[in-house]
Amino acid sequence: MTPTFAQVILPLNLKGTFTYKVPDELLSSIQVGMRVLVAFGGKKIYTGIVFEIHENEPETFVPKEIINILDDFPILPKEQIRFWDWLSGYYLCNLGEIYRFAFPSSLKLESETYLKLKPNVLVDFENLDVNEMYLIQALEVRQLINLTEIEAFIPKKEIVKTIKSLIDLQYIEVDEKVAEKYKAKEVAYLKINEEAVKNSHLPEILLSLKRSPKQQELFLLLLEKQTEYPEKLIKKSDLFHEGNFVQAQLKSLIEKNLVQEYYLQKDRLESYEGETEELEKLSDIQLQAKTEIDIAFEEGKNVLLHGVTSSGKTHVYLEKIEETVENERNVLFLLPEIAITKQIVQRLEKKYGKQLGYYHQKLTDFEKVEVWRRIKNNDIKILIGTRNALFLPYQNLGLIVVDEEHDSSYKPRETSPFFNAKDAAQVLAKFYKANVILGSATPSVESFYAAKKEKLKYIFLSERFGNVKIPEFELINFKEAQDTKKLVGSFSLHLIDEIRKELDHKKQTMILHNRRGYANVVECETCGYVNYCSNCDVVMTYHKFSNEMKCHYCGQKAAKPKTCPKCHSEKLNVRGVGVEQIHEEVSKIFPDAEVDRMDVDSMRKKFAYEKLYEKIEEGETDIIVGTQMISKGLDFENIELVAIPKADSLLYVQDFRAEERAFQLITQVSGRAGRLSGNGKVLIQTYNPEHSIFQLLKNHDTSKIYEHLLTERKKFLYPPFVKLIMIELKHRREDKVNRASQFLGSILRKYLPEECILGPEKSPIGKLNLMYQYQLLLKLPRGKKYAEYKDLVSKSLAEFDEITAYHSIKKVISVDF
């Protein structure tokens, strides 16, 4: 019989898959997408995912055997396996990285795997070696033992061999329930013991409880609830909310066999229990957009839905979601951040109730497992989630909606693997034969260009819902205000007057300033000393609210110095303006107004966002000051003015996308104004009112903005006209990482043209979290040549990895940077 082998993905940041032999007893049950228990690196045991099954025996080594299979059916659909493979190849990341990111940790076993004796097993000790005997004896004393505990009596090198042998002899087994770590949530319920009540007369029972009036009262309450509402379960915790009863009284009734306590498993995530309702009818322009989407889908094209703010894109999404669900296919609704889900969740809950689910990083691990299993069982028809929701085991995916497709949160650079969720969604849809709608009021330049080249169907909603007017833009020359001294702090008198008018008319105002903290720098007037983070090459930001200096990169905190650490001068000044300072200025200028702040720091407390959201909705807030958070997902009727007091700070950033992101942020936040009345106004305060972006925004000339951005990108060779790959090398020793970057640069220059390689050079932030950083930026041509060049990049990286001296160098590769 030809031996069978499996390629297994392990949750390790190592290249490729690993070959294991499939034991004969597992041949009939093993399938691609199943979890298997395998040994790796001596004593370590991991949960792997079967990537491929084949009969090609390795020539250079003897593969280990798979220890056990953990699933009756594949936990990962074949579409997801193909998706992982594509991600790994396109973004030059390892399958193990994807596995670690995609799976809830409760579905992965590592060294905390537990073993137990098989039930009713008869062990033949005469045929066991010493290590096997020790393990069996230990399991007879203790029901469960994990691998770490086994090390106490079996040599490390012998652990895997011993476990494998005893599993083959069918003496022991892996305890999956414990090993998986996941435990279902159980809720306690109560009911009257009907048998006891039948066998005794009720008066006799009440008489027996006469000396315990509280027990009698509790018994009658339970009897009343059970009689009046026989279909409604009585939750144990509900009885003790008002403090009328204590646990001891209930315990006595249970001991007397009058009341029974039982447990039911319940999802940790509460489902919507309210009434459902129908969707509103589409307007003519929305109906036209939906018809165009239908035609595009029939032609096999994905859609870029470009709609001005408040044009009703969500309403169009909902109609397509409705159709998809009616056709018995599932929907994934992607959002850049979970904070902006509140309104869309409310609308979808009222329509779909328990068929709706959501998935994001703020869920607990057990909650993620529950969503995973509900998706696997096809109980969830519509899933709202962030980028990690792409990896759920969808059974019949029919539509992916990527809302706010331009948002940089779809490709963060903080967590690996580094991929763009917007692009990945389109590839995932291909594997499921699903359709994709990319929606935004400010599409990314790359998406706009793809639509221009007819790779996406471009559909434009040019009017706000209900023919509400688009906000009027006004530019305020702040230099003139400074020269004529018509200002208070960061606000010109004209801007102050406009905010006051809104307050007089009982309207709300939004003020955008995209800088955290109170001030960028605390500087000594005498010697010029500023506080740098000891971990990073960045100046620490002053946060007045907590009176701390904070590094926004590594999170380090320090108390604000009272004197200069260098010259001991007491003349310390703050430089630069953060959102806290803007909030403080606004509160002083308008002392009678209710001013609230919305940024990462003020929203850290649990439910802080929800509380502020309700406050704004109820009209209890007059002015909302915030960072880019206020531009996302807020839809309130009473906001008519948006002010940007320091608009220049959005433009002058070290990023070729700075102008694009400034345009997107200003447009998004301006869309919060006048959504109902049509009297919205946006005031942009700037030193440079003649800047092309500000002028084009003022004239509402979106197409010319994209023309301007594309012209600039083409001139200086940036996406979408080239493909970018950023390679960052990191190490604690600067001399070592510098040499490594020079060496990698020399390898790349062997294979790629000189004009494709920029660097190596020190990163803009030279040290981050005690790691020195050097980078190489690759500008590669698009089309067929790109695949060839990317293979050469992979070859160069493989050559670099062969140098033992550089194994300690950390590489971060960002494709489509």
Side-chain angles (χ1 to χ4, degrees):
M1 184 177 175
T2 308
T4 302
F5 302 90
Q7 293 305 120
V8 175
I9 305 169
L10 296 180
L12 303 169
N13 192 6
L14 297 172
K15 194 172 181 63
T17 56
F18 298 87
T19 308
Y20 286 85
K21 187 174 185 298
V22 182
D24 293 342
E25 65 271 19
L26 300 182
L27 278 174
S28 60
S29 51
I30 194 165
Q31 295 179 53
V32 170
M34 282 183 166
R35 293 177 304 159
V36 290
L37 208 60
V38 294
F40 185 82
K43 71 183 183 75
K44 276 275 191 181
I45 288 183
Y46 289 97
T47 303
I49 301 286
V50 179
F51 180 76
E52 184 187 358
I53 298 170
H54 58 86
E55 295 179 352
N56 305 321
E57 187 167 0
E59 295 178 0
T60 55
F61 64 95
V62 178
K64 296 176 183 177
E65 284 194 345
I66 289 171
I67 296 172
N68 205 355
I69 296 173
L70 298 179
D71 302 303
D72 295 328
F73 302 97
I75 195 168
L76 208 62
K78 63 181 185 302
E79 293 88 353
Q80 281 288 352
I81 294 280
R82 291 168 67 197
F83 178 55
W84 287 23
D85 193 30
W86 175 84
L87 273 178
S88 173
Y90 187 82
Y91 288 104
L92 301 177
C93 59
N94 295 322
L95 283 165
E97 284 181 272
I98 298 169
Y99 178 18
R100 286 195 308 192
F101 179 81
F103 261 56
S105 60
S106 296
L107 294 178
K108 302 191 289 279
L109 320 182
E110 293 186 14
S111 291
E112 289 304 304
T113 303
Y114 284 78
L115 304 171
K116 66 179 181 182
L117 282 173
K118 281 202 164 187
N120 306 317
V121 69
L122 295 173
V123 180
D124 180 4
F125 283 96
E126 289 184 9
N127 293 320
L128 299 182
D129 65 24
V130 176
N131 292 328
E132 291 166 352
M133 200 180 306
Y134 281 155
L135 182 51
I136 292 292
Q137 288 171 344
L139 285 168
E140 286 176 338
V141 176
R142 296 176 58 185
Q143 290 185 333
L144 295 167
I145 293 182
N146 68 30
L147 299 190
T148 308
E149 293 166 332
I150 293 172
E151 289 178 22
F153 52 87
I154 295 179
K156 288 182 182 180
K157 290 182 180 178
E158 300 294 321
I159 288 176
V160 172
K161 176 187 165 188
T162 303
I163 291 171
K164 183 74 177 72
S165 172
L166 291 174
I167 286 175
D168 289 345
L169 290 167
Q170 298 193 1
Y171 288 164
I172 67 171
E173 63 186 3
V174 175
D175 188 279
E176 291 180 32
K177 184 181 176 185
V178 178
E180 279 195 6
K181 304 174 194 171
Y182 170 73
K183 291 180 182 176
K185 181 182 179 181
E186 292 186 329
V187 178
Y189 292 90
L190 302 171
K191 64 179 180 180
I192 298 292
N193 184 348
E194 292 179 4
E195 291 299 317
V197 174
K198 275 182 189 175
N199 296 335
S200 306
H201 291 296
L202 187 59
E204 290 176 11
I205 293 172
L206 295 175
L207 188 64
S208 70
L209 297 173
K210 192 173 181 181
R211 291 186 179 181
S212 308
K214 273 292 181 183
Q215 288 182 33
Q216 189 184 72
E217 186 184 340
L218 178 56
F219 177 78
L220 286 170
L221 176 65
L222 288 168
L223 187 63
E224 181 186 349
K225 283 178 178 288
Q226 193 166 308
T227 307
E228 281 190 31
Y229 308 102
E231 294 178 2
K232 191 173 181 181
L233 302 179
I234 304 167
K235 194 191 270 190
K236 177 181 173 181
S237 58
D238 290 347
L239 293 176
F240 302 103
H241 275 166
E242 295 178 6
N244 294 331
F245 304 103
V246 294
Q247 292 282 354
Q249 293 150 4
L250 174 63
K251 188 179 177 185
S252 297
L253 290 175
I254 292 170
E255 287 172 353
K256 290 172 183 174
N257 204 27
L258 297 174
V259 174
Q260 291 177 329
E261 182 178 5
Y262 63 101
Y263 292 85
L264 295 175
Q265 288 189 6
K266 189 173 181 181
D267 284 349
R268 289 171 171 81
L269 295 171
E270 298 290 335
S271 297
Y272 178 73
E273 302 287 349
E275 294 182 4
T276 58
E277 58 185 42
E278 294 301 311
L279 299 175
E280 298 171 19
K281 287 187 178 179
L282 296 178
S283 68
D284 289 344
I285 193 167
Q286 289 171 332
L287 197 58
Q288 176 63 30
K290 181 191 167 296
T291 304
E292 290 182 47
I293 291 171
D294 293 339
I295 294 167
F297 286 173
E298 284 172 14
E299 294 172 351
K301 274 190 176 182
N302 293 327
V303 168
L304 174 61
L305 182 60
H306 179 187
V308 297
T309 52
S310 194
S311 59
K313 294 184 294 297
T314 303
H315 203 158
V316 178
Y317 300 153
L318 295 178
E319 285 290 334
K320 291 308 298 176
I321 288 169
E322 171 84 345
E323 282 184 11
T324 307
V325 173
E326 281 179 358
N327 291 329
E328 298 186 351
R329 299 197 71 185
N330 308 134
V331 177
L332 169 58
F333 194 113
L334 276 184
L335 288 161
E337 293 177 29
I338 201 60
I340 69 175
T341 62
K342 185 176 175 68
Q343 286 176 321
I344 184 68
V345 166
Q346 285 175 342
R347 292 177 73 174
L348 284 167
E349 273 181 341
K350 288 177 182 176
K351 175 64 184 169
Y352 296 103
K354 291 183 179 181
Q355 295 181 86
L356 180 73
Y358 51 95
Y359 193 83
H360 52 84
Q361 289 296 69
K362 288 190 178 180
L363 296 181
T364 66
D365 203 67
F366 287 174
E367 287 170 342
K368 288 178 183 177
V369 173
E370 285 174 1
V371 175
W372 185 283
R373 289 182 172 174
R374 287 183 66 201
I375 287 282
K376 187 86 178 61
N377 297 333
N378 211 20
D379 296 330
I380 292 175
K381 304 300 180 190
I382 303 161
L383 194 285
I384 298 176
T386 51
R387 66 199 290 262
N388 54 339
L390 286 168
F391 298 94
L392 291 170
Y394 302 101
Q395 300 304 298
N396 190 19
L397 194 60
L399 175 67
I400 302 177
V401 177
V402 185
D403 195 25
E404 307 295 354
E405 67 87 30
H406 67 278
D407 200 291
S408 59
S409 299
Y410 283 125
K411 195 186 181 193
R413 297 194 65 215
E414 293 80 36
T415 51
S416 64
F418 305 103
F419 67 94
N420 190 326
K422 171 191 69 176
D423 297 336
Q426 294 177 72
V427 175
L428 180 67
K430 280 183 185 176
F431 296 139
Y432 277 97
K433 296 183 172 58
N435 299 311
V436 179
I437 301 175
L438 306 178
S440 177
T442 53
S444 65
V445 170
E446 288 85 347
S447 294
F448 186 86
Y449 184 74
K452 192 177 174 183
K453 292 289 182 182
E454 297 186 352
K455 292 179 181 175
L456 295 169
K457 173 68 175 175
Y458 180 72
I459 298 171
F460 185 42
L461 289 169
S462 58
E463 295 176 8
R464 281 182 154 192
F465 186 72
N467 289 321
V468 174
K469 279 169 54 182
I470 290 172
E472 174 194 337
F473 279 75
E474 183 183 341
L475 301 177
I476 299 171
N477 191 327
F478 194 58
K479 190 172 187 313
E480 279 184 11
Q482 277 187 333
D483 292 343
T484 56
K485 297 188 177 177
K486 292 182 178 179
L487 55 87
V488 178
S490 302
F491 293 81
S492 64
L493 293 183
H494 177 56
L495 181 49
I496 291 169
D497 289 341
E498 290 293 328
I499 296 172
R500 189 166 280 119
K501 282 179 192 174
E502 297 302 314
L503 293 172
D504 292 342
H505 289 101
K506 307 295 182 189
K507 298 295 181 182
Q508 294 168 308
T509 297
M510 271 189 170
I511 298 175
L512 170 72
H513 184 61
N514 203 28
R515 286 280 186 277
R516 285 173 61 197
Y518 185 84
N520 300 355
V521 181
V522 174
E523 182 183 57
C524 173
E525 260 189 38
T526 308
C527 70
Y529 176 85
V530 295
N531 279 67
Y532 271 84
C533 173
S534 59
N535 297 335
C536 313
D537 276 348
V538 293
V539 177
M540 296 184 84
T541 304
Y542 173 47
H543 288 250
K544 190 174 183 179
F545 182 76
S546 57
N547 198 33
E548 289 176 322
M549 308 294 293
K550 292 182 184 178
C551 174
H552 291 163
Y553 291 88
C554 73
Q556 189 184 52
K557 298 177 183 178
K560 184 196 173 191
K562 293 180 180 177
T563 59
C564 173
K566 188 175 180 182
C567 71
H568 307 294
S569 168
E570 294 183 359
K571 293 180 179 178
L572 298 178
N573 277 340
V574 294
R575 307 283 187 206
V577 178
V579 69
E580 285 184 21
Q581 194 171 153
I582 295 288
H583 177 260
E584 183 180 272
E585 287 181 12
V586 173
S587 300
K588 286 177 181 175
I589 295 168
F590 306 103
D592 297 328
E594 182 69 24
V595 184
D596 283 298
R597 194 177 101 234
M598 185 188 284
D599 62 352
V600 172
D601 302 294
S602 62
M603 296 290 108
R604 288 196 191 281
K605 287 185 181 176
K606 197 172 184 181
F607 304 122
Y609 182 88
E610 287 79 2
K611 286 175 184 174
L612 181 54
Y613 183 97
E614 287 174 15
K615 198 175 172 185
I616 299 168
E617 195 169 41
E618 295 297 322
E620 295 169 12
T621 294
D622 299 311
I623 302 171
I624 309 104
V625 178
T627 55
Q628 62 178 344
M629 282 185 80
I630 65 172
S631 71
K632 297 179 181 181
L634 298 176
D635 186 0
F636 300 115
E637 298 178 358
N638 210 33
I639 295 171
E640 294 205 344
L641 177 65
V642 168
I644 307 169
K646 290 192 168 288
D648 301 303
S649 64
L650 302 175
L651 287 170
Y652 304 126
V653 183
Q654 284 186 324
D655 186 351
F656 73 91
R657 291 192 172 94
E659 284 192 343
E660 177 190 1
R661 287 184 175 154
F663 149 65
Q664 288 167 341
L665 184 51
I666 292 171
T667 304
Q668 291 287 339
V669 76
S670 70
R672 308 306 117 202
R675 291 174 80 92
L676 186 68
S677 67
N679 296 323
K681 194 169 186 178
V682 182
L683 297 179
I684 299 174
Q685 195 170 260
T686 169
Y687 284 102
N688 188 10
E690 299 306 314
H691 193 286
S692 51
I693 289 292
F694 294 146
Q695 286 295 324
L696 291 167
L697 275 166
K698 182 184 176 184
N699 297 325
H700 300 291
D701 210 334
T702 305
S703 60
K704 284 195 177 172
I705 288 175
Y706 282 105
E707 278 178 32
H708 164 76
L709 294 171
L710 285 167
T711 303
E712 293 285 301
R713 299 278 183 91
K714 192 170 187 178
K715 188 194 297 183
F716 297 105
L717 285 179
Y718 279 103
F721 301 100
V722 295
K723 303 282 273 185
L724 296 185
I725 298 178
M726 174 71 80
I727 304 171
E728 284 185 308
L729 303 181
K730 304 182 180 188
H731 197 268
R732 284 179 175 261
R733 279 177 46 198
E734 185 172 11
D735 59 333
K736 186 166 185 175
V737 72
N738 186 9
R739 284 197 307 273
S741 68
Q742 297 296 335
F743 179 68
L744 179 56
S746 67
I747 298 174
L748 287 163
R749 284 183 168 88
K750 281 197 309 185
Y751 300 111
L752 300 175
E754 180 68 34
E755 61 269 20
C756 291
I757 305 167
L758 299 177
E761 62 181 22
K762 202 169 185 178
S763 300
I765 299 174
K767 186 175 72 168
L768 203 61
N769 248 334
L770 298 175
M771 303 278 273
Y772 289 95
Q773 305 186 132
Y774 279 73
Q775 64 184 30
L776 292 114
L777 179 63
L778 308 181
K779 287 186 174 182
L780 306 179
R782 297 180 67 88
K784 292 179 182 177
K785 200 76 175 168
Y786 175 62
E788 181 187 322
Y789 278 14
K790 201 159 85 163
D791 287 343
L792 293 173
V793 172
S794 297
K795 187 176 180 181
S796 302
L797 292 168
E799 275 190 39
F800 177 80
D801 289 340
E802 288 173 8
I803 307 303
T804 309
Y806 294 144
H807 282 181
S808 60
I809 301 284
K810 183 182 179 183
K811 292 196 309 295
V812 176
I813 302 163
S814 189
V815 177
D816 294 346
F817 172 70

